Amino acid sequence: MPERPDGDIEQAIATQVRAAAAHRQGLYIQGGGSKRALLGRDCEAAVLDVSGHCGITDYQPAELVLSARAGTPLTALQAVLATQGQELPFEPPTFQGRATLGGTLACNLSGPARPWRGSIRDLVLGVRLVDASGECLRFGGKVMKNVAGYDVSRLQAGALGTLGVLTEISVKVLPRAQRTTTLAYELPAAEAIEMMNRRAATAAPLSGACWLDGTLYLRLAGEAGAVAHTARRWGGQALAEADAPWSDLREMRLPFFAGDAPLWRLSVKPSAALAGPAAQLLDWGGAQRWLRGDFDLAQLQGLASAAGGHVTLFRGGDRRGEVRPFPGEVHRRLQQRLKHSFDPQGLFNPGRLYGWL
Amino acid sequence: MPAIDRAALLRDLQRLLPGHCIVADTECQRPYECDALTIYRELPLLVVLPETVQQVQAVLQLCHQRQVPVVARGSGTGLCAGAMPHPEGLLLGLSKLDRVIEIDPLARTARVQPGVSNLAISAAAAGCGLYYGPDPSSQIACSIGGNVAENSGGVHCLKYGLTVHNILSLELLTVAGEQLTIGSQGLDTPGYDLLALLTGSEGLLGIVVEVTVRLLPVPQAAQVVMAGFPTVAAAGDAVGAVIAAGIIPAGLEMMDRLAVQAAEDFAGAGYPRDAEALLLCEVDGTSEEVEGDAARVAELFRSLGASSIVTSRDEAQRALLWQGRKSAFPAVGRLAPDYYCMDGTIPRSMVSRVLEEIARLSAHYGLRVANVFHAGDGNLHPLILFDASNPQEVRRAEQFGAAILSLSVQVGGCITGEHGVGLEKLRQMPEQFSERELALLEEIKCAFDPGLTLNPGKGVPILRRCQEYRALPARHQHA
């Protein structure tokens, strides 16, 4: 992936939005294009390319805050953060360098560290966005605490770009861990779920817990002494390459993710017993579970509900139908009204989140 | 729309609630006339204190039908007049919904009713080695429902986050009394993140009747390093240096000279009275982690000119060192008849500039100020000393406060970090938001509460943009 030059095209984006509004024409907002086939329903609207809106606008390592234009590739951010010994704590997938900060927030994508270090939803501090009338608005800011007004910044997480065109995002960053160790255990799923949750309930520098094909992996990351001591106490087999399973998991490069079979994500209570098809990949200490195959959305939602959560058809399958369960009439009404308050004409990513939105 | 018939409303409420859940007598309503920001007071038409979710639901349905304003209240410890009653509305006290419903030690969650106090959650979870992270200073009294409404923080939020980072789901009643679950027991829920939107929404979007919080493992060890500095600037640099060294403290607090002296007189924590600024830096985690980090912090403070350094040797000393900070508000309260607590957040690097400017404003308004600062996350609490029985001083205190909030916005911060807008900071909202941004906030309000009866006149200033809003009579556009 070639490095992209910095550029500020916010005004051009606003002009395009105004033109689209005048013609009541929908827009599909696209950054690096890495997630077009993920998470959302198919969207046929004309592409609004924001990848040229790129570059870090502010980075103060001692403030633990980084601000960048929405089209900036995550890899560019990571490279700059690394020079200061810092990182994006939510450990997002970078998808061969194509994933951008804006798309990552819109999709609320976070990696294996999410239960311990937070998601991008947890770490976003402020956004600039172009609204449906082509005006540039700012919510939140560059400080850690801000409770003035409703939390419009965090509302963008998982909204799949349906509330406005994100143009700039400020996130909290954190120092990188001094040391990382990965421990592996051969265990069946039920015991792995128990162990992940038990260990997450003790004071330890845990930062990842996943299970695949009969192996539980626990990642310890933090102050060197604490990591070494915990690793000795917990036993298991220490991997020579501590990062390997986690980056493959985060980037969805594991063989589990290969091929065209529909990919389902269950977001559930971490300690819930394994239910449904046995071939599942567990991440987030049990709170995120992946499944492959031709299943029925309602049937999987039944499983997810019993486990305290929800299912999403993450990739593949029928993306013209709904890819998320129906949230109920009151939820639908509130979400439609919210959408209407941001985007009364329905310009942004029409139908991407729900067919009725 | 006709004025609300108090007698008729009372009769209807008596059909829904037992007599002891209704407070109709003016004298008995007095305790509800304000929250902890006592300079704003108002009596409601009626106070109700329901004991079940079904009763709350019935009350909301009635009020919705009659278009009666409803102001929710937890423990009344809020600091922005967010729970101040509406003169033509109902004050809905949720303090009797105070049951810890369930602790799940394996999933590390607690399901609680909104009136449960913040500290009671940690107490209920202690047997499992778990606790609830956010710890506002009022945690002994403040309710979790109020914490959700204000997105409360505390001294440990740099490392452990605010309320929004520590809750998983809410049971919400809409203004019409419909019940819905927001969030889930998993980490993400499809659709718009209403959990984030509701947290910090100050009772304007719905009524929370149950909260599921995340619990954290109690750290194995914790140590606090206290250091006195000869200048505020040196202390400010030391804060930046700790972060730059890659340490994320569990708490990092700063106090200025007046606050230090008041706290020391009050608590006898061993603070250096001659210091211009004091830092308290707590590190927690495993024993190895804590030992290493505490030593690094002390060394950093020494190299940056600290005039005195004390590292806690044991739990008793750690508690004592915190005692001074935790009693800073009442301690400063002894210096004058009243104090007015501000809540701006600023970029950490701006602290010495902002404190200098606050000192200049203090001289200008002729009012003393003590500064207590969550330095780790840039949240500044200047305590303006004044006498509430002197109307002129009240006015000057308000003007001084407003100037501090403007200053916070000017240096790149915001008008409120954790106390909320409520009634108090409505006038400052246009400094932080453009008219179009405020209009959008108002549209969000309308999406949940088209009749604008939930906590009207708070949180978001009125622009009369919203279609439904224009049709409203003046009584809804309170203050």
Side-chain angles (χ1 to χ4, degrees), chain B residues 249-261:
Chain B
L252 184 48
E253 297 287 306
M254 187 192 286
M255 295 160 77
D256 74 357
R257 188 186 181 95
L258 186 56
V260 167
Q261 290 177 347

PDB file of all heavy atoms in Angstrom, chain B residues 249-261:
ATOM      1  N   PRO B 249      -1.103   6.191  35.683  1.00  0.00           N
ATOM      2  CA  PRO B 249      -1.434   6.044  37.111  1.00  0.00           C
ATOM      3  C   PRO B 249      -2.918   5.752  37.300  1.00  0.00           C
ATOM      4  O   PRO B 249      -3.751   6.144  36.474  1.00  0.00           O
ATOM      5  CB  PRO B 249      -1.096   7.425  37.700  1.00  0.00           C
ATOM      6  CG  PRO B 249      -0.453   8.206  36.617  1.00  0.00           C
ATOM      7  CD  PRO B 249      -0.817   7.577  35.323  1.00  0.00           C
ATOM      8  N   ALA B 250      -3.241   5.092  38.406  1.00  0.00           N
ATOM      9  CA  ALA B 250      -4.648   4.848  38.732  1.00  0.00           C
ATOM     10  C   ALA B 250      -5.318   6.163  39.103  1.00  0.00           C
ATOM     11  O   ALA B 250      -6.497   6.365  38.874  1.00  0.00           O
ATOM     12  CB  ALA B 250      -4.752   3.856  39.886  1.00  0.00           C
ATOM     13  N   GLY B 251      -4.556   7.073  39.689  1.00  0.00           N
ATOM     14  CA  GLY B 251      -5.066   8.403  40.009  1.00  0.00           C
ATOM     15  C   GLY B 251      -3.905   9.376  39.995  1.00  0.00           C
ATOM     16  O   GLY B 251      -2.787   9.019  40.358  1.00  0.00           O
ATOM     17  N   LEU B 252      -4.157  10.602  39.521  1.00  0.00           N
ATOM     18  CA  LEU B 252      -3.104  11.615  39.503  1.00  0.00           C
ATOM     19  C   LEU B 252      -3.762  12.958  39.787  1.00  0.00           C
ATOM     20  O   LEU B 252      -4.452  13.508  38.926  1.00  0.00           O
ATOM     21  CB  LEU B 252      -2.395  11.607  38.149  1.00  0.00           C
ATOM     22  CG  LEU B 252      -1.196  12.545  37.954  1.00  0.00           C
ATOM     23  CD1 LEU B 252      -0.212  12.444  39.114  1.00  0.00           C
ATOM     24  CD2 LEU B 252      -0.469  12.229  36.661  1.00  0.00           C
ATOM     25  N   GLU B 253      -3.610  13.421  41.012  1.00  0.00           N
ATOM     26  CA  GLU B 253      -4.349  14.591  41.486  1.00  0.00           C
ATOM     27  C   GLU B 253      -3.401  15.726  41.840  1.00  0.00           C
ATOM     28  O   GLU B 253      -2.295  15.491  42.335  1.00  0.00           O
ATOM     29  CB  GLU B 253      -5.132  14.214  42.748  1.00  0.00           C
ATOM     30  CG  GLU B 253      -6.183  13.165  42.514  1.00  0.00           C
ATOM     31  CD  GLU B 253      -7.385  13.696  41.745  1.00  0.00           C
ATOM     32  OE1 GLU B 253      -7.958  14.705  42.188  1.00  0.00           O
ATOM     33  OE2 GLU B 253      -7.723  13.115  40.697  1.00  0.00           O
ATOM     34  N   MET B 254      -3.858  16.952  41.585  1.00  0.00           N
ATOM     35  CA  MET B 254      -3.072  18.128  41.967  1.00  0.00           C
ATOM     36  C   MET B 254      -3.934  19.033  42.843  1.00  0.00           C
ATOM     37  O   MET B 254      -5.149  19.121  42.649  1.00  0.00           O
ATOM     38  CB  MET B 254      -2.644  18.907  40.712  1.00  0.00           C
ATOM     39  CG  MET B 254      -1.676  20.050  41.013  1.00  0.00           C
ATOM     40  SD  MET B 254      -1.440  21.182  39.604  1.00  0.00           S
ATOM     41  CE  MET B 254      -0.433  20.198  38.537  1.00  0.00           C
ATOM     42  N   MET B 255      -3.301  19.682  43.819  1.00  0.00           N
ATOM     43  CA  MET B 255      -4.000  20.682  44.634  1.00  0.00           C
ATOM     44  C   MET B 255      -3.098  21.901  44.732  1.00  0.00           C
ATOM     45  O   MET B 255      -1.881  21.770  44.803  1.00  0.00           O
ATOM     46  CB  MET B 255      -4.268  20.138  46.040  1.00  0.00           C
ATOM     47  CG  MET B 255      -5.225  18.962  46.063  1.00  0.00           C
ATOM     48  SD  MET B 255      -5.108  17.971  47.563  1.00  0.00           S
ATOM     49  CE  MET B 255      -5.982  19.023  48.700  1.00  0.00           C
ATOM     50  N   ASP B 256      -3.706  23.085  44.755  1.00  0.00           N
ATOM     51  CA  ASP B 256      -2.876  24.277  44.906  1.00  0.00           C
ATOM     52  C   ASP B 256      -2.723  24.640  46.385  1.00  0.00           C
ATOM     53  O   ASP B 256      -3.266  23.956  47.257  1.00  0.00           O
ATOM     54  CB  ASP B 256      -3.410  25.446  44.057  1.00  0.00           C
ATOM     55  CG  ASP B 256      -4.670  26.070  44.627  1.00  0.00           C
ATOM     56  OD1 ASP B 256      -5.188  25.569  45.654  1.00  0.00           O
ATOM     57  OD2 ASP B 256      -5.147  27.061  44.040  1.00  0.00           O
ATOM     58  N   ARG B 257      -1.973  25.704  46.650  1.00  0.00           N
ATOM     59  CA  ARG B 257      -1.554  26.016  48.010  1.00  0.00           C
ATOM     60  C   ARG B 257      -2.735  26.158  48.981  1.00  0.00           C
ATOM     61  O   ARG B 257      -2.727  25.569  50.069  1.00  0.00           O
ATOM     62  CB  ARG B 257      -0.732  27.318  47.993  1.00  0.00           C
ATOM     63  CG  ARG B 257      -0.082  27.660  49.301  1.00  0.00           C
ATOM     64  CD  ARG B 257       0.580  29.044  49.206  1.00  0.00           C
ATOM     65  NE  ARG B 257       1.234  29.366  50.459  1.00  0.00           N
ATOM     66  CZ  ARG B 257       2.521  29.158  50.706  1.00  0.00           C
ATOM     67  NH1 ARG B 257       3.290  28.635  49.767  1.00  0.00           N
ATOM     68  NH2 ARG B 257       3.031  29.458  51.875  1.00  0.00           N
ATOM     69  N   LEU B 258      -3.746  26.905  48.564  1.00  0.00           N
ATOM     70  CA  LEU B 258      -4.886  27.123  49.459  1.00  0.00           C
ATOM     71  C   LEU B 258      -5.614  25.811  49.754  1.00  0.00           C
ATOM     72  O   LEU B 258      -5.993  25.533  50.893  1.00  0.00           O
ATOM     73  CB  LEU B 258      -5.848  28.155  48.835  1.00  0.00           C
ATOM     74  CG  LEU B 258      -7.016  28.608  49.711  1.00  0.00           C
ATOM     75  CD1 LEU B 258      -6.549  29.164  51.048  1.00  0.00           C
ATOM     76  CD2 LEU B 258      -7.865  29.647  48.972  1.00  0.00           C
ATOM     77  N   ALA B 259      -5.783  24.985  48.729  1.00  0.00           N
ATOM     78  CA  ALA B 259      -6.451  23.688  48.909  1.00  0.00           C
ATOM     79  C   ALA B 259      -5.616  22.775  49.806  1.00  0.00           C
ATOM     80  O   ALA B 259      -6.147  22.071  50.674  1.00  0.00           O
ATOM     81  CB  ALA B 259      -6.703  23.032  47.552  1.00  0.00           C
ATOM     82  N   VAL B 260      -4.288  22.795  49.616  1.00  0.00           N
ATOM     83  CA  VAL B 260      -3.389  21.957  50.426  1.00  0.00           C
ATOM     84  C   VAL B 260      -3.490  22.353  51.898  1.00  0.00           C
ATOM     85  O   VAL B 260      -3.645  21.500  52.787  1.00  0.00           O
ATOM     86  CB  VAL B 260      -1.919  22.098  49.946  1.00  0.00           C
ATOM     87  CG1 VAL B 260      -0.957  21.498  50.960  1.00  0.00           C
ATOM     88  CG2 VAL B 260      -1.750  21.436  48.590  1.00  0.00           C
ATOM     89  N   GLN B 261      -3.442  23.663  52.150  1.00  0.00           N
ATOM     90  CA  GLN B 261      -3.468  24.118  53.542  1.00  0.00           C
ATOM     91  C   GLN B 261      -4.806  23.781  54.202  1.00  0.00           C
ATOM     92  O   GLN B 261      -4.844  23.322  55.344  1.00  0.00           O
ATOM     93  CB  GLN B 261      -3.196  25.620  53.597  1.00  0.00           C
ATOM     94  CG  GLN B 261      -1.742  25.917  53.228  1.00  0.00           C
ATOM     95  CD  GLN B 261      -1.428  27.402  53.191  1.00  0.00           C
ATOM     96  OE1 GLN B 261      -2.331  28.227  53.198  1.00  0.00           O
ATOM     97  NE2 GLN B 261      -0.144  27.724  53.145  1.00  0.00           N
TER      98      GLN B 261
END
